[in-house]
Amino acid sequence: MIQIRTEREKGTYRSFSIDGHAGYAEAGEDIVCAAVSALVINTINSIEKFTEDAFTCDCRDGMIQSWEFTADVSPETALLMDSLMLGLSDVQKAYGDRYLCIRQRET
């Protein structure tokens, strides 16, 4: 199962982490993993290209594991994060909690 954790402070995303594998299909054929990876990578690339927002990113084995915003988050990044979470929630609804678990914490 893929486990996603987000932390928000006063409605603003501060951090995001992702761990695990969906186990929906064999490696290289797992459409749940592919969907999650595409959404996450596109979001990070979009934040880097279209905003000046600062963040740190932990990547292992070529995969994004987590990121944390190190300064204020712009409205553009907030929208990109909302879009990411919408996409991930839709994947979770389509394939179920057995493959993708999303936990959001508000502080």
Side-chain angles (χ1 to χ4, degrees):
M1 170 192 315
I2 298 171
Q3 295 186 29
I4 294 172
R5 291 177 186 83
T6 66
E7 187 170 316
R8 294 173 14 141
E9 183 179 292
K10 298 178 184 174
T12 301
Y13 287 98
R14 299 306 312 157
S15 66
F16 178 96
S17 67
I18 183 169
D19 188 43
H21 297 281
Y24 182 79
E26 294 295 319
E29 297 180 15
D30 194 320
I31 59 175
V32 175
C33 279
V36 170
S37 293
L39 288 165
V40 168
I41 291 167
N42 187 67
T43 299
I44 286 291
N45 288 343
S46 296
I47 292 169
E48 283 185 319
K49 179 146 179 94
F50 301 124
T51 78
E52 298 294 322
D53 294 352
F55 63 91
T56 59
C57 188
D58 177 20
C59 298
R60 285 182 236 144
D61 299 324
M63 297 299 298
I64 296 168
Q65 302 294 311
S66 64
W67 70 84
E68 182 174 352
F69 295 103
T70 57
D72 290 339
V73 173
S74 68
E76 293 82 6
T77 291
L79 179 61
L80 289 167
M81 290 298 298
D82 286 341
S83 178
L84 169 64
M85 296 312 296
L86 174 64
L88 292 171
S89 294
D90 286 348
V91 171
Q92 183 182 34
K93 287 176 191 170
Y95 293 96
D97 296 337
R98 179 176 175 195
Y99 302 106
L100 178 59
C101 175
I102 302 170
R103 297 188 201 289
Q104 297 188 62
R105 186 176 121 186
E106 181 80 32
T107 58

